[in-house]
């Protein structure tokens, strides 16, 4: 594509002032011969230590990991035992990060299940740091409910018995509390209820922590009985592996999260990829060309540029033809998709998405049904073509 070739030429010219490096590589089709890699720019002194920052004209307060060094975390939580209930990707990552931060952490799971065995492999010891859900919830002063949304609904009658006066109830998603009429999760009135929601998968939460970086997360307080819930929420956000945190509410967290997942983060992007791929194929383009022009160039060349310096910078470093076309067609896609996003948000806000999720994920065979849908996606021509394209990346060549 001419956009990629123009970026390559422009990146070469701008290398010295933009901190851009270029790596030559072979490609599956002739649309590109190089990938542009943006090195992480040095963080300006203005962005460190300033708590109120300008986000597109709106002033917001941001908390950073440096505000809560390890010693401070250990002091704040010196009397606490964190009972992590659930060991999915978030439960695993957050518990391990807190343990590495020197906090007292125990894990509560169904005994002898898959997660129980995985927890043992990660160093949690039955009877010492690994317990049944009931035992862990009873021992914990901070009960971290990191079960799946459907499991939170099903197991709340078990967990709530141990959410007693003076404890803290923690979530990483506002789902169960916000949609309490559907889940039955109504926190007692005599406990703090807080949230720290990493903006990424548990695998990323863990890997960024181990890299010495940290993921961005939102923090919210639903109920402050102790008077210190807000401070503890931000501190706990850092303890689980966050690099910086911004404040929200339980409602806004769940509405934005569900909208994003169904929208541009996952649902919309698959739908748009599939639509463009099918149009190209219907017009006689080969699978390799259709995939490269739809997915590979986006994920390997253009998206990293957007992530590094923004959409305008990526546009500014494309060919004039690509730039003009993108600017002309962006309003078309905006007009076409905004009504869809409005319907999506309404479906989230009115609880339709919640009910759909609970209904599906509460079925005894939901894993098998989910795998069937993923299998259909995985075996579609587009993603089978993608397997071959990815195999030809330089890092995958033997």
């Amino acid at each position: 594509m001419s956009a990629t070739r123009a970026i390559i030429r422009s990146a070469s010219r701008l290398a010295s002032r933009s901190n851009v490096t270029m790596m030559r590589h072979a490609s599956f089709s002739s649309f590109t011969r190089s990938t542009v890699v943006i090195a992480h720019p040095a963080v300006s002194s203005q962005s460190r230590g300033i708590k109120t920052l300008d986000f597109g004209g709106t002033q917001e307060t941001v908390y950073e990991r440096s505000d809560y060094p390890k010693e401070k975390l250990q002091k704040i939580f010196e009397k606490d035992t964190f009972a992590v209930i659930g060991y999915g990707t978030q439960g695993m990552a957050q518990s391990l990060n807190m343990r590495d931060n020197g906090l007292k952490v125990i894990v509560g799971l169904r005994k002898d299940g898959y997660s129980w065995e995985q927890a043992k492999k990660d160093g949690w010891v039955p009877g010492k740091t690994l317990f049944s859900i009931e035992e862990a919830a009873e021992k914990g002063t901070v009960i971290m409910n990191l079960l799946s949304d459907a499991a939170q609904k099903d197991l709340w009658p078990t967990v709530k018995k141990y959410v007693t006066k003076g404890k803290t109830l923690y979530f990483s998603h506002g789902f169960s509390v916000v949609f309490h009429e559907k889940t039955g999760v109504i926190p007692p009135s005599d406990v703090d209820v807080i949230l720290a929601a990493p903006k990424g998968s548990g695998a990323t939460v863990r890997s960024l922590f181990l890299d010495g970086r940290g993921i961005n997360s939102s923090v919210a307080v639903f109920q402050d009985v102790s008077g210190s819930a807000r401070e503890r929420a931000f501190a706990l956000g850092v303890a689980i592996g966050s690099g910086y945190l911004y404040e929200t509410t339980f409602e806004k967290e769940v509405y934005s999260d569900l909208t994003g997942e169904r929208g541009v983060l996952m649902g919309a992007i698959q739908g748009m990829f599939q639509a463009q791929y099918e149009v190209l194929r219907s017009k006689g383009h080969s699978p390799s060309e259709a995939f490269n022009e739809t997915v590979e160039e986006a994920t390997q060349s253009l998206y990293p540029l957007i992530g590094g310096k923004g959409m305008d910078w990526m546009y500014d470093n494309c060919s004039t033809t690509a730039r003009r076309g993108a600017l002309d067609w962006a309003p078309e896609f905006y007009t076409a998709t905004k009504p869809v996003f409005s319907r999506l948000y309404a479906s989230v806000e009115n609880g339709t998405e919640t009910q759909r999720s609970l209904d599906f994920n509460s079925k005894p065979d939901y894993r098998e049904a989910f795998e069937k849908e993923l299998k259909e996606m995985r075996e579609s021509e587009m993603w089978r073509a993608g397997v071959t394209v990815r195999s030809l990346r330089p890092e995958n060549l033997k």
Side-chain angles (χ1 to χ4, degrees), residues 128-141:
K128 293 184 178 179
T129 55
L130 180 59
F131 301 92
S132 68
I133 291 174
E134 295 84 350
E135 290 176 293
E138 183 177 25
K139 293 176 181 294
T141 60

Side-chain angles (χ1 to χ4, degrees), residues 199-211:
K199 301 297 111 179
S201 72
T204 310
V205 173
R206 182 61 174 163
S207 64
L208 289 179
F209 176 84
L210 292 175
D211 287 345

Side-chain angles (χ1 to χ4, degrees), residues 336-386:
T337 60
K338 188 172 181 182
V340 179
F341 284 107
S342 294
R343 293 200 304 274
L344 168 57
Y345 193 90
S347 184
V348 169
E349 194 172 28
N350 65 26
T352 299
E353 294 302 309
T354 294
Q355 192 62 57
R356 183 180 298 162
S357 177
L358 290 173
D359 288 346
F360 179 85
N361 294 322
S362 295
K363 294 178 180 178
D365 63 342
Y366 86 94
R367 291 184 186 276
E368 291 80 3
F370 178 64
E371 175 54 30
K372 182 179 179 181
E373 291 181 282
L374 290 187
K375 184 174 185 288
E376 182 179 346
M377 181 187 296
R378 183 167 55 247
E379 295 184 353
S380 68
E381 183 191 89
M382 180 174 73
W383 290 112
R384 284 189 290 117

